[in-house]
Amino acid sequence: DAKTTQPTSMDCAEGRAANLPCNHSTISGNEYVYWYRQIHSQGPQYIIHGLKNNETNEMASLIITEDRKSSTLILPHATLRDTAVYYCIVRLYSGGGADGLTFGKGTHLIIQP
Amino acid sequence: KAGVTQTPRYLIKTRGQQVTLSCSPISGHRSVSWYQQTPGQGLQFLFEYFSETQRNKGNFPGRFSGRQFSNSRSEMNVSTLELGDSALYLCASSSADRGISGYTFGSGTRLTVV
């Protein structure tokens, strides 16, 4: 799986959009970008994933650059409950089952009141 | 629907003992993965089971083993516990169809080895 680079920490004001970058310059053509987050003392939570196109769901938006070497997770209206460690993971999807996720250090996002 | 259930939530064991942790996946999910999380190493993949077969294994010693039952419930076992095995052990389940659905994690079992 391709490696990812994320900032160690970020701050964002409550109510503003939080934009979390991820660099994955060695991504291959059939690798997906996944985002998970982990709130303190809980298990990771799936947020969103994408291959080439931008994606949006009820939690967030995922913007993937045209060359697919980087992406940005956008939380449109951050709340205090969004304070967590956010992991960007690039992996090959095997539809028949689950392969292991490779978690990096992630970005510690702190939402300020 | 019920989420991924891990038992017990907390466990204290003595060095040299063995321990068994349990994971019940979301109903209908056939794949179960296990992860170890420590402050120093972060989240690391242990192994993954699909339809009672181990499909992938992370870089852990043979003291770490697991199995999956016909109802998809899974257990992991750690023998001859070491102080360094103290960690949060997380289980995740995923559906078996070709839809990309991500993984649902449980709340984990926090193991302390003394």
Side-chain angles (χ1 to χ4, degrees), chain A residues 32 34 36 38 41-46 49 87 91 93-105, chain B residues 9 31 33 35 37 40 43 45 48 50 55-56 88 90 94 96-103 105-107:
Chain A
Y32 288 76
Y34 284 81
Y36 284 78
Q38 187 173 26
S41 297
Q42 298 181 20
Q45 177 189 23
Y46 164 81
H49 73 273
Y87 298 98
R91 65 182 288 271
Y93 173 68
S94 61
D99 294 329
L101 294 170
T102 301
F103 288 86
K105 299 294 184 184
Chain B
R9 287 296 309 275
S31 173
S33 303
Y35 293 80
Q37 185 170 29
L43 272 158
F45 171 68
E48 179 255 344
F50 180 77
R55 290 161 54 100
N56 287 294
L88 179 66
L90 292 156
S94 65
D97 60 27
R98 293 198 65 83
I100 301 174
S101 58
Y103 300 84
F105 282 79
S107 297

Side-chain angles (χ1 to χ4, degrees), chain B residues 14-61:
Chain B
T14 303
R15 192 171 46 182
Q17 287 186 312
Q18 73 164 11
V19 66
T20 299
L21 311 182
S22 178
C23 172
S24 293
I26 289 175
S27 178
H29 284 194
R30 296 166 62 189
S31 173
V32 174
S33 303
W34 288 89
Y35 293 80
Q36 181 196 65
Q37 185 170 29
T38 60
Q41 299 298 319
L43 272 158
Q44 293 185 289
F45 171 68
L46 278 159
F47 30 65
E48 179 255 344
Y49 288 85
F50 180 77
S51 293
E52 303 179 64
T53 301
Q54 186 180 92
R55 290 161 54 100
N56 287 294
K57 184 172 169 48
N59 188 26
F60 278 83

